Each structure stands twice: as C-alpha cells, then as structure tokens.
Amino acid sequence: MTEPRQIDFRQWHRLFQQVPDRLVEEIRYYRHLPQAEWSQYLFPPSTHVVYGNRLLRKLKFDNSQAALRLWGFVMSEGERIYRARQAGMKVIAVMGDLGAVTPLVYSFPNIVAFYPDCLWWTPFLMESRELFDEAGQLGLGEDCCFVRASLGAFSRKAYFPKPDLCVGTVGATCDDMATVMSEAEQLGVDIHYFELPHRHDGDTDKTALSGYLENQYQELCRRLEQATGETFSPDRFRETVQKVNRMRSLIAEIKDLSGAPAASPMGAVEMMNMEFAALSYYGDLDECLAVLTEFRDLMKFRANSGQGYQNQDLRLVWVTPPADPLLMNYIEELGGRVVGSEYLIHQTTPIIDTKKDPFEALAEAHLKATLMGSSAYRVNLVIEQVERTHADGVIISGVFGSSHCPYETAPIISALRQKGIPVLSFDVVAPGKRRLQSQIFNRMEAFSESLKARKKRRAG
Amino acid sequence: MPGMKKSGDMTVGIDIGSRTTKALVWNGEEVLSRSMLSTGWTPEKSASVAFEKTLQTAAISPSEVKRTMVTGYGRGSISFADESVTEITAHARGVSYLLPETKTLIDIGGQDSKAIIIDDEALVQDFAMNDRCAAGSGKFLEFLALTMELSVQDFSELAFSSKNPMQISSICTVFAESEVLSMLAEGVAREDVASGVHRSIALRVAQMAHSLHPQVPIAFSGGVARNRCMIREIGVALGGDISVPEMPEYAGALGAAIIARESL
Amino acid sequence: MPGKMNPRERWSLLLIDELPDRPPVYPLVTCHAARVYNCDLIEYCTDGRILAEAQLEAQRLYGHEGLSVFTDVGIIAEAMGSKYHLREFEVPILDSPLITDTAMIGELGPPDPTTQGRLPVYLEAIDRMYSAAGDVLPIFAFIPCPFTTAAGLRGVDNFLMDTVLEPQAAHDLLDVSLKSAITFCDECILAGALPMLVDPLASGSVISRTTYSHFAKSYQQKLIAHLHRYDLDVTLHICGDTSNMLDLIPQTGADLFSFDLADVDSATDAMGDRVRLVGNLPPHGLLPSSNLSVTQGTNSIMEMGLKNPKGFVLSTGCEVPIRCEAQKLHTLINIGKNARYEEVW
C-alpha cells in the first residue's frame, strides 16, 4: 500500500491513471439493477471539478483507493437519486431527523432515502451563492442556517428528483430545517411531519417520551405504506436494521481508529464524509456498507502499522460539522488532526435492538439524539470525546442563524474553559466573503500556535 | 539613534496592520530602532520600506539580521520574511516582555479588537476577537471623529474632558453616525458625545473580554492605547486598572522580533 | 426569478438523462466574442486574459449557456511545431506544416501544454473563466481531434495523400496526435473545462466514409475512451456534411454530437436513443440577411430537437461567424429560451 499522504486534485488526476480498469469497472452502486455505465463511481476529484465543484481545486484528499471510493460515492449521490427514480424506485427525502428515521424508510422495498439538508455544503463545494440567493428570494436570508441551500435546491428542481414523500422532522431539532420544510411545502412537496418530543435531561422519565416517539414511528410507517404501496414487514425491518447496525459499528470502529497514537491515519474531511454516511447511507445502503468496510480495513491497516500523515500532531475534537470542508484542511495544514467529533448525530450511534418491537427499538435509539437532550447532555458528550481521545483542544464551528448553535455553543465553551481545555469557536463564513474567511483562518492559526506552544512546554 | 550599540544576534519584527506597518530591530535586550508608516494598498511594499528604514536607523545591513518575523493581517504576502506568526501570539509575547505581570491583554487595532488571556509563561491561553464589523475597532473611532470634524487625537482629548458620557446605542457604524449627529443637533455637549463614542467601543470590547473571564493585571496595546479616554473607559468597563506599555503600537512587532530570536 | 435553472443545472440534468426545464441554448460563440469585446483576433488568440474576458462579455450580452475556449483547429499542431499565421481580423491559418517528410514523424512527441505554443493561452483563459463563472456556466475547451491535428502537422493535402500512399505513416502521425490531444485534454480538465472534441477535417465534406472509418473514427474513439475513464461527458463536433456517416458516430462513444449539415430528424433516427444532439442552425444564416430565416430555421430545428429521446441542445451547426449580426444571435437564443419541456415536478 502507498504511504499515506494528502494530495491535491491534480495529483489525483494523474494517480488515477494507475487505478486498474478492472476496479473502475467493478465499483458500482445499485448492484441489484442491470449494470449500467452510470452506476460506476470510482472517479477522481478532477471529474467533479469540471462539473463546477470549484472548491475541490483547493482541497487535499487522502491518496488511498478507499478514500477515493468514499469521495466518489459521496459525490455521485445526486445522480444516484435520479437514477433510482429512473429505475422505478421510490424516493423519500428525510429532513431534520439527522439519521434517525432512515432505518425505517429503508425497510421498505425498492426505496431510497436522501437527505436534502446535506445540500448545505453544495454552495461551499461549488464556491457559489446560487442556492443561497435562491433561498433568499423565497424569504430565507442570511439569518437562517446554511441548510437554507436545500430550499434553493427544492426551488431549482435540479439537484434531486421530486420526492415521493418528504419526512420532515420537527420539534426538538434545528428550527431552520423546519423553516425549509414549510417553505418546501409551498413548492408542492408532500411532507409528513414527524414531531419529536420535548428536550430532556438525565432525570426525565423516558417512558412517556419513548411512547410518544413510538406513535410517531407508527404513523410514519403507515404513511410510507401509502407512499410505496407496500406493507411494512417486521422481517424486512430486522434485516435492514442488521445492516444499519453493521454500519453503525463500522462508523464507531473507524472513529476509534482515527485517534491512532502514532499518526493521523486519515483526513478530517474524509472522516466527516464517512460519519455522515449514517444519515441516509448516501442513497444505497448495501454499497455504503461496502465503501465503509474497505475504508475501515485501510484505517485498521494504517493504525496498526503506525502509518499516517506527517506533521499533524495537535489532537483536536471538532464540534458541529463545518459546511466548509476547507476549514478542516486548513487546520491540518497548521499541524492539527481531528481525533474526535460531535456532529449532532449521536442518535445514529446506538445499536438498534432487533429483538424488541421495531417502533420501540427505533424510539429508544432516537432518544439519544443530541438535539433532544439537554445542553448538559451534549456538553458531556463533547467532554467525554476530549478525554477519551486525549485531545489538545476543541474547535466549534458554528453557523450564524442556525437555531441550535446559540443554544449549545456557549455552554460547551464555558464547560471546556472550566476544565482548562482550550477551545476555539467561530461561525463558518458563507462562500464569497473572502475577508471574513481569512479572519477565521487567522484565528485557527493563532489557536494552533498557542496549542503548539503548550505542547512544547509540556514536553519540557 | 544611529550609532547605537549592536550586541547579540539581531532580529527584525514587522507588524503589518490594516492601517499602519511597524518594524523594529531587536538585539535580545533592547529595541535598536523602529519605524512606522501607513500600510496603504501594498502591504509587501510598506513592509519592505519599514524594514529598510528601521535597518537604516539602526545602521545595520540586512545581512546582519539573523531572522525576520512578520505578523499582522498582511503577513501572508511578505516574501522576504523568514517566518510569520499571528498578531495574537505576537502581541501577547511583546506585551509580556514589556509588562511581564500581564494576565489579560486588550488590543484595539485598525479593523479589529482582541482580548487575550496570557498564562504565567507568557503563552496565549485563550483569546476572543471582534473582526466582523467596524464597531469596537479603531476604524469606528476614526469614522466618528471625522463626523465631528476632528482629528482622532483631538477627538480623544475632547472626550477625556467629559464628565457625563452619553450613551451611543447603535453598534452599526452608519447608524452610530446618525445617532451622533442627532445628539449634536439636539445640543448635547460635544465632549459628552465624544466620550459616549469611546464608551460604546469600550463596552463592546469588555463584553468580548468578559467571555474569557479576564484576570488582572490588564494591559492595553495597539495604536488606540495612546488614547487617554479609551484607557479610562476600558478600565471602567473591565473594572480594573489598565496598564499601557511603552510604545503600545509596537507590541506586535516586538513580539515577532522576540519570537524570531527565540527560534534562532 | 425563483425557480429558474441556471445553465450549469440545465446541462447537469441533460447529462444524467433527466429533462431540464428546456434544452440548453449553446451556439458556438468562439472568435465572434473578440468582436463583441472589440479586440482584434491576434490579441484574442494569444492572450488568455483577453480570451476569457471576451467570452464572459459575449455571454453577458447574449445569455447563451456555456463558455467556449477555441481559437483555431491548429492549436495543438502549432504547439508541436507547425507554423500558423495569425491575422487581425480572421482566424489563424496554417502557414507551414512541421512534417515535410514522413521520416520526421518518429521524432515527434506531445507538447508541454503549460509552455508550448498557444496552449498556455487556453489554460489561462479556462482558469480565469472557471474562477469567474464556473459555478453557473460550463466551460468547453475545444480540442482538435487527432485527424485534424495530423493534417495541421503534415498539411491537409499531404496528409490525405499519406492515408492512401503511406497509411502506416498516417497512423503514426495520428498516434502522436492522439497522445498530444490526451495530454492537452488533461490540462484543460485540471483548469476546469470539459473537453469538446472538434474534427473539422474528418467531415464528410472533406473525406469519404471509408477514410473516416479507417483514419478518424478510431482515434476519436480512443480519445473519448480516455475521457470516459474520467466519467466525462464528451461532445464530438464535426463540421460540414456528416449525413453519410451519422450511423458511425455512436461507435465513437460520443455522448453528444454537434453537427452541421445534416438534418436533425436523420440524426435522431441514426443515434437519438444513445446520443444527445447539439445543433444546428447554419452559421451563414447569422450573417446579414433576413431575421425571418433565423426564426423559421431555429423553430424548425427546435421542433425536431425536442423530440430527440436522449436530449437536445440548441446550437449553431458550426462556429458563429465573426461578423455575425447580434440581433440574429439574440433571435436564435430567445427562441431556445422560450422552449419548454413538460414540467416534471
């Protein structure tokens, strides 16, 4: 295997010529369908540059085939959802739940789920204000989270096919997503609202909350039956959940491996993409499992053999996913590595109990949701990550206008400061605001300087 | 200062701020020379001129300089420098040298303001910055001085004479200007309006600093630290005495020169 | 206006077999941009900044849906050593071909696109356009196919003679021309453009169906295969009369076929289930003449094009003439912009 390195899109373009034709041919999604040319996805970042993803010119990518496969899988999701529709599959948009309801959706046959909210990174990838401006014309301006880009996408009708149903989770989740949903409804999207119970803390009696969620899942199930014309099958549910559990275990295992003591075995952006597979499996659960398995094998090999990137010694926990992946690359350039993360998707981590009643099992897992717990619950999750990964510091990338950021960021900062854990917090800057972005870079640089100085002092 | 003693290895620190560029020569014990000029549109050029001027004043040649370290917002574009460091680290280091007991540093620059917590070993422990809008920066002060048709220095002196600062509630520079103009039109004393502007900046800076749980002693650096009214208002807002180092506008350049020397 | 797709969105849907709101409108506005920008063609062909600014200005004026990086078909041959004559008011023409004797072919190698000839002009232009508008507008880099480049290296007549008298030498020259095209394509991709292959010398107006089959098609095929390995959608443009070779085009693997003198219905019959069509208002119609003919011609093409199963792009059959009347081009584009596919949402 090649020595782990982060390379740019030009280097990948040339390196790709060494990837055997056989592999390019073999690696495909929707393997249950007759093999079509469009189902291949192992292509280098330069391919996506040509189609307007301008940020890829600036990003650094891991040089492994497993990482290339992950990138290819992530970048082909948009086309994949269209191809699903062309192949006669039902398309379900899941919004606002952050990965909790997808196991139920995938329990129905001939169906794919996708996550419109993830389009929040499209303006960053394309270095474009198009989708934000579109959302702005529909009334969602800069005072709303970057997920407003998904409203722009609903309006443009060019980023995903019209969903057969949109499951819109509201309540104790980001209000911004609910705003997008209600606007999308105006555009003719069929929305089934899935209501979360109130936020809770450790002392709350979970029985009532669980019962409430079970009802929500049962209602959703009926709605999915209507949308698909299929009857819910507990056996198929168990079969799906077994796969989902495998994926959750894989993600947990990979996350653990990213903290390998010798050197960082993988880039932070790849790790974030990997973790986000938990949301909707990038539109193909089986292939997603194959992608993550190969990724895990590589990580395991690197971690066990002490291989990784050079000169990335500052161990960091990243809190709240940054819509702009360049920020993660930048901290790596400054000598940082992300060894832990709290991306608000804690509800995708529990193993779902296949022996229990399906709805009860789903509700139980859902109650782990970061946004449904109290602020203290999330603070503890972050601190637990810092301690477990022996992190030198924490970076919190907030989003101006995002409803959860002001609720959560201040208590997390305060708790970390009380424990003497260095923390840097900033709001991610929308594309096109170069001056503001350079100021974020400046803060990151100052933060890394102070962490390096401390490390040096500790080392005597 | 020509003909001053030249002992030890000499390093140069250059601080390229949004308004002014500062450079100095440091020999490990003292500042041999310094120069300051307007940054203008070409940071590389102003850095180069400041570098040459300060070397000329110290009567040394570029080959005698062991290392040149740049800091400040324009540091990325300086090809002749050996290294760069952020102004946060540089200011903390410079002020810690000048006022070794400092625990909290307030720096108000041309386009931003920062609060920095410094630990016992002169390292940055934590920091906060306001760099998203002009309010809370030297630019805000300059703009409102202009509104009152005064130089920044006269504006500051006028403000210092006030016993009854007015409350300026607008945080947007443009709205603050209308508020100031309305007050003047209503006949409010000019010194009270001017000190109200200073207080407004001080409150914003203090708000930012409070999030870091500042400890005393508190120092104040940057060009605005020469402003007597601002020193007073920052002190009131933070509830403590404020120390201002000698040559506060050079703290960043000094810090850069010290770090350069430490890395030799 | 909310809900209005941008060109990039429209093209992306077309390329994944989805219907956009309407076909993209992409007349081949190449050197005509110099006239819009009010610069001479020597400047346009030798300065990447001017080429980019001229293209962007022409796009702002007409609102067509793609930027075109193209000066002349000799761009690769020139970088390899042939001499081209640059002219103020016309496109460059071949002055003296490099290969005067087929024995010289063995010494040839692909040029370095970053330093040789005017290839860096293309790369700079692409980079500038991509940075300025790459999020909303696709950028097409017109790459001469091996057959056309070989003709530029050897001289058209000599090369055509070679295909008869020294076929192996012709193939050798085509091989090195292919390598050169691949090298240049890669750099254009890295600068942000989608290669669009142009092969004017492989036209039915110049060569026979047999010559096309033996000497042009397989090299088009190989070049397209290289681009397909990167999952890029390839447009093949052949000028002049292609009616006698329409059935051969799908064999090249082209995803889109941009054509001149053939009728849209025939092209649809020959390849419409596999290939998207790009065409094909005759460029001479855009020279001073009656506006009515542009309207009628465009309407008729549009009507046929909308029925192509694999999709359609309204375009001109070849480059928009340098001295095209702006009003005519506006007419064509407006007709395209008023067309509609059935709403899918």
Side-chain angles (χ1 to χ4, degrees):
Chain A
M1 288 202 197
T2 43
E3 197 183 316
R5 260 186 330 126
Q6 285 177 300
I7 59 176
D8 67 15
F9 82 111
R10 297 184 76 87
Q11 291 166 303
W12 246 127
H13 188 84
R14 310 219 185 285
L15 188 61
F16 184 69
Q17 284 165 13
Q18 292 169 27
V19 175
D21 288 341
R22 179 188 52 81
L23 268 179
V24 180
E25 279 281 323
E26 265 173 21
I27 292 182
R28 291 168 182 272
Y29 56 82
Y30 296 158
R31 287 167 191 261
H32 62 287
L33 297 175
Q35 294 207 333
E37 202 188 317
W38 49 252
S39 62
Q40 297 175 9
Y41 66 86
L42 187 71
F43 300 111
S46 53
T47 299
H48 306 289
V49 165
V50 166
Y51 293 108
N53 294 290
R54 298 192 287 181
L55 186 75
L56 298 183
R57 291 190 303 174
K58 297 177 187 162
L59 286 185
K60 289 281 171 60
F61 309 87
D62 183 80
N63 64 341
S64 66
Q65 181 193 301
L68 181 71
R69 183 176 183 180
L70 175 67
W71 269 107
F73 192 58
V74 172
M75 295 302 294
S76 58
E77 189 191 3
E79 175 171 356
R80 182 155 50 250
I81 305 301
Y82 277 108
R83 297 298 185 187
R85 164 59 54 78
Q86 288 168 11
M89 296 159 85
K90 295 285 179 194
V91 172
I92 310 293
V94 283
M95 296 187 69
D97 71 298
L98 295 159
V101 306
T102 29
L104 179 63
V105 176
Y106 275 92
S107 299
F108 285 82
N110 212 23
I111 201 167
V112 291
F114 76 102
Y115 201 76
D117 313 22
C118 275
L119 271 120
W120 81 331
W121 83 329
T122 301
F124 292 89
L125 272 188
M126 299 190 78
E127 296 184 326
S128 172
R129 293 199 53 85
E130 280 286 292
L131 290 181
F132 288 154
D133 290 345
E134 181 78 8
Q137 289 190 59
L138 295 165
L140 292 193
E142 296 210 339
D143 51 353
C144 179
C145 168
F146 297 139
V147 294
R148 69 186 188 273
S150 61
L151 177 63
F154 271 113
S155 172
R156 288 289 174 92
K157 304 183 173 89
Y159 294 82
F160 43 76
K162 185 178 183 183
D164 293 290
L165 180 67
C166 178
V167 182
T169 299
V170 291
T173 182
C174 294
D175 294 341
D176 329 286
M177 297 190 197
T179 315
V180 170
M181 287 168 220
S182 50
E183 292 285 338
E185 196 172 13
Q186 303 296 310
L187 298 172
V189 178
D190 187 6
I191 298 189
H192 171 81
Y193 286 100
F194 185 101
E195 185 84 28
L196 293 175
H198 62 76
R199 299 178 73 172
H200 59 87
D201 58 27
D203 302 329
T204 311
D205 175 10
K206 304 278 187 352
T207 324
L209 300 179
S210 182
Y212 177 84
L213 264 175
E214 277 176 56
N215 282 337
Q216 289 293 308
Y217 273 107
Q218 279 163 356
E219 265 183 45
L220 172 60
C221 187
R222 281 195 291 276
R223 194 66 200 277
L224 287 167
E225 285 180 328
Q226 282 168 11
T228 59
E230 300 277 348
T231 310
F232 173 73
S233 148
D235 288 340
R236 208 164 35 224
F237 173 79
R238 265 188 291 278
E239 203 182 300
T240 306
V241 165
Q242 277 162 3
K243 289 182 189 172
V244 171
N245 283 343
R246 229 166 73 217
M247 174 169 299
R248 292 182 175 191
S249 305
L250 272 172
I251 292 173
E253 192 183 350
I254 296 167
K255 279 192 76 174
D256 277 347
L257 290 165
S258 76
S264 173
M266 187 49 67
V269 183
E270 280 89 356
M271 284 298 296
M272 180 170 69
N273 285 345
M274 182 284 300
E275 210 175 328
F276 270 33
L279 294 185
S280 61
Y281 328 133
Y282 293 120
D284 184 343
L285 176 55
D286 290 321
E287 190 56 23
C288 195
L289 273 169
V291 172
L292 294 198
T293 304
E294 187 183 342
F295 195 78
R296 187 271 320 266
D297 293 346
L298 172 82
M299 292 279 288
K300 215 171 177 174
F301 170 79
R302 286 183 175 178
N304 291 342
S305 57
Q307 288 191 25
Y309 309 145
Q310 302 300 307
N311 306 320
Q312 291 182 8
D313 303 320
L314 297 175
R315 298 172 69 87
L316 301 165
V317 167
W318 199 294
V319 174
T320 307
D324 184 353
L326 192 61
L327 296 168
M328 291 185 141
N329 261 199
Y330 193 65
I331 201 70
E332 289 174 328
E333 217 174 280
L334 295 169
R337 57 181 283 202
V338 177
V339 293
S341 55
E342 206 304 294
Y343 292 151
L344 295 154
I345 53 174
H346 194 59
Q347 61 278 19
T348 66
T349 59
I351 297 300
I352 302 165
D353 191 341
T354 49
K355 293 193 187 75
K356 281 190 174 166
D357 166 75
F359 306 110
E360 191 188 338
L362 285 169
E364 199 176 77
H366 208 151
L367 282 171
K368 304 269 186 201
T370 325
L371 288 174
M372 251 157 53
S374 64
S375 292
Y377 173 64
R378 191 163 176 230
V379 166
N380 288 336
L381 286 177
V382 174
I383 289 175
E384 182 270 326
Q385 288 259 352
V386 172
E387 288 170 352
R388 194 167 48 78
T389 58
H390 307 289
D392 299 306
V394 172
I395 292 182
I396 307 176
S397 54
V399 185
F400 179 75
S402 166
S403 59
H404 71 265
C405 286
Y407 298 156
E408 306 290 353
T409 305
I412 296 171
I413 293 175
S414 162
L416 290 170
R417 282 193 173 133
Q418 271 172 24
K419 285 193 162 278
I421 301 165
V423 55
L424 173 72
S425 154
F426 53 79
D427 282 346
V428 175
V429 174
K433 298 183 174 180
R434 204 178 295 174
R435 190 182 79 90
L436 292 179
Q437 197 187 43
S438 71
Q439 286 160 345
I440 301 291
F441 285 169
N442 191 38
R443 291 191 208 185
M444 292 174 91
E445 203 176 331
F447 187 58
S448 76
E449 283 169 357
S450 75
L451 293 184
K452 280 178 192 166
R454 279 171 193 229
K455 244 187 138 98
K456 202 170 158 188
R457 181 173 59 189
R458 273 207 304 271
Chain B
M1 285 192 270
M4 281 183 72
K5 70 170 181 175
K6 293 174 274 180
S7 66
D9 291 328
M10 281 174 288
T11 56
V12 171
I14 308 175
D15 178 4
I16 306 149
S18 61
R19 313 289 296 164
T20 55
T21 295
K22 287 78 62 176
L24 56 77
V25 179
W26 169 248
N27 71 356
E29 288 170 6
E30 60 183 330
V31 173
L32 298 187
S33 66
R34 56 188 199 230
S35 69
M36 177 157 63
L37 47 95
S38 169
T39 299
W41 299 107
T42 49
E44 168 119 45
K45 195 177 164 198
S46 39
S48 164
V49 173
F51 177 76
E52 282 163 20
K53 272 178 76 175
T54 194
L55 257 56
Q56 207 175 12
T57 313
I60 59 170
S61 70
S63 61
E64 290 174 85
V65 176
K66 293 285 178 198
R67 184 159 295 194
T68 301
M69 176 84 77
V70 280
T71 186
Y73 103 104
R75 67 185 181 280
S77 54
I78 312 305
S79 53
F80 69 85
D82 298 303
E83 274 181 277
S84 71
V85 64
T86 60
E87 62 274 28
I88 294 145
T89 303
H91 271 269
R93 193 74 192 85
V95 169
S96 293
Y97 180 81
L98 296 166
L99 300 169
E101 302 301 315
T102 303
K103 290 274 179 273
T104 302
L105 169 63
I106 302 297
D107 175 86
I108 302 182
Q111 66 177 18
D112 64 22
S113 51
K114 3 187 194 303
I116 304 169
I117 306 296
I118 301 171
D119 71 9
D120 296 338
E121 292 176 57
L123 299 179
V124 174
Q125 186 176 313
D126 211 343
F127 66 92
M129 284 181 86
N130 162 33
D131 50 16
R132 303 202 82 166
C133 86
S137 73
K139 186 76 195 160
F140 185 74
L141 206 60
E142 210 174 276
F143 185 76
L144 290 166
L146 197 67
T147 302
M148 290 180 66
E149 295 174 344
L150 291 168
S151 69
V152 178
Q153 198 179 343
D154 292 345
F155 185 57
S156 150
E157 288 307 314
L158 178 71
F160 193 64
S161 67
S162 162
K163 298 281 179 285
N164 182 29
M166 294 303 291
Q167 190 185 335
I168 310 286
S169 51
S170 301
I171 53 169
C172 162
T173 311
V174 178
F175 291 157
E177 184 194 29
S178 355
E179 206 173 330
V180 162
L181 289 172
S182 308
M183 284 180 183
L184 294 173
E186 284 165 18
V188 176
R190 284 165 64 81
E191 62 271 25
D192 295 343
V193 175
S195 62
V197 170
H198 284 71
R199 177 160 292 185
S200 139
I201 295 173
L203 287 172
R204 283 182 68 78
V205 171
Q207 197 179 14
M208 176 177 71
H210 278 310
S211 69
L212 303 175
H213 308 295
Q215 292 169 30
V216 290
I218 302 169
F220 184 13
S221 70
V224 182
R226 289 219 180 262
N227 179 325
R228 285 201 294 165
C229 183
M230 192 56 82
I231 298 168
R232 182 185 71 191
E233 292 301 330
I234 294 269
V236 171
L238 284 174
D241 288 336
I242 304 292
S243 311
V244 176
E246 187 194 347
M247 50 172 201
E249 59 276 66
Y250 284 93
L254 176 62
I258 293 174
I259 295 167
R261 195 180 160 85
E262 284 167 352
S263 65
L264 284 177
Chain C
M1 192 180 74
K4 195 176 154 200
M5 289 177 194
N6 68 34
R8 178 71 84 183
E9 292 162 345
R10 216 165 263 130
W11 277 97
S12 8
L13 288 174
L14 176 85
L15 296 176
I16 58 167
D17 305 317
E18 288 287 324
L19 288 183
D21 51 355
R22 60 168 172 78
V25 182
Y26 175 59
L28 307 184
V29 179
T30 53
C31 289
H32 172 64
R35 191 175 163 95
V36 174
Y37 190 65
N38 205 19
C39 65
D40 70 44
L41 279 169
I42 296 178
E43 291 174 299
Y44 184 81
C45 294
T46 57
D47 187 330
R49 180 185 61 82
I50 290 178
L51 202 164
E53 285 177 5
Q55 276 293 320
L56 289 164
E57 187 161 324
Q59 197 282 330
R60 277 192 293 271
L61 173 68
Y62 295 118
H64 53 284
E65 302 183 282
L67 299 166
S68 307
V69 186
F70 182 63
T71 56
D72 54 283
V73 295
I75 189 92
I76 293 179
E78 184 198 54
M80 292 171 80
S82 286
K83 297 272 178 280
Y84 278 74
H85 177 50
L86 296 173
R87 302 176 296 176
E88 260 181 283
F89 303 109
E90 299 294 339
V91 296
I93 48 163
L94 180 61
D95 206 358
S96 53
L98 174 71
I99 305 295
T100 50
D101 185 328
T102 51
M104 296 165 70
I105 294 171
E107 291 158 25
L108 274 180
D112 176 354
T114 61
T115 56
Q116 283 180 257
R118 287 177 287 126
L119 301 184
V121 173
Y122 265 47
L123 300 181
E124 184 189 346
I126 295 169
D127 188 59
R128 285 175 178 274
M129 290 182 206
Y130 189 75
S131 298
D135 60 330
V136 290
L137 286 167
I139 297 155
F140 297 96
F142 289 35
I143 312 288
C145 284
F147 193 86
T148 293
T149 294
L153 286 165
R154 184 78 176 103
V156 179
D157 293 345
N158 288 338
F159 180 64
L160 293 179
M161 292 291 281
D162 290 345
T163 61
V164 180
L165 302 175
E166 288 190 73
Q168 187 52 49
H171 280 297
D172 292 344
L173 192 56
L174 285 163
D175 279 335
V176 71
S177 301
L178 173 67
K179 279 185 199 140
S180 305
I182 287 176
T183 310
F184 188 38
C185 274
D186 282 343
E187 284 304 319
C188 291
I189 292 165
L190 292 171
L194 186 60
M196 175 168 173
L197 309 182
V198 292
D199 215 351
L201 266 296
S203 161
S205 308
V206 181
I207 57 173
S208 69
R209 180 180 163 91
T210 314
T211 309
Y212 174 74
S213 290
H214 292 167
F215 292 94
K217 192 185 73 187
S218 62
Y219 293 93
Q220 291 171 350
Q221 223 165 17
K222 285 175 191 163
L223 188 49
I224 289 170
H226 172 78
L227 298 170
H228 275 176
R229 198 165 186 279
Y230 286 88
D231 199 31
L232 299 174
D233 298 282
V234 187
T235 304
L236 173 66
H237 172 81
I238 303 181
C239 316
D241 188 358
T242 45
S243 51
N244 69 340
M245 56 174 73
L246 288 175
D247 58 315
L248 300 176
I249 298 300
Q251 295 172 20
T252 65
D255 304 283
L256 300 100
F257 181 51
S258 162
F259 60 104
D260 193 358
L261 300 175
D263 124 310
V264 179
D265 277 344
S266 312
T268 298
D269 290 344
M271 64 186 96
D273 56 335
R274 286 160 290 171
V275 181
R276 298 163 191 99
L277 299 177
V278 183
N280 73 339
L281 189 83
H284 60 78
L286 298 170
L287 289 167
S289 66
S290 127
N291 214 27
L292 187 65
S293 64
V294 175
T295 308
Q296 286 174 338
T298 309
N299 277 332
S300 147
I301 289 163
M302 198 64 177
E303 198 183 320
M304 290 187 277
L306 285 171
K307 288 185 283 192
N308 191 56
K310 196 74 178 168
F312 180 66
V313 177
L314 179 65
S315 181
T316 44
C318 198
E319 289 180 83
V320 168
I322 295 170
R323 291 169 190 79
C324 152
E325 272 192 340
Q327 184 49 45
K328 299 256 166 33
L329 198 48
H330 280 301
T331 302
L332 177 144
I333 289 167
N334 287 340
I335 290 172
K337 288 190 171 178
N338 287 324
R340 280 289 170 275
Y341 282 121
E342 213 172 291
E343 185 96 8
V344 275
W345 276 49

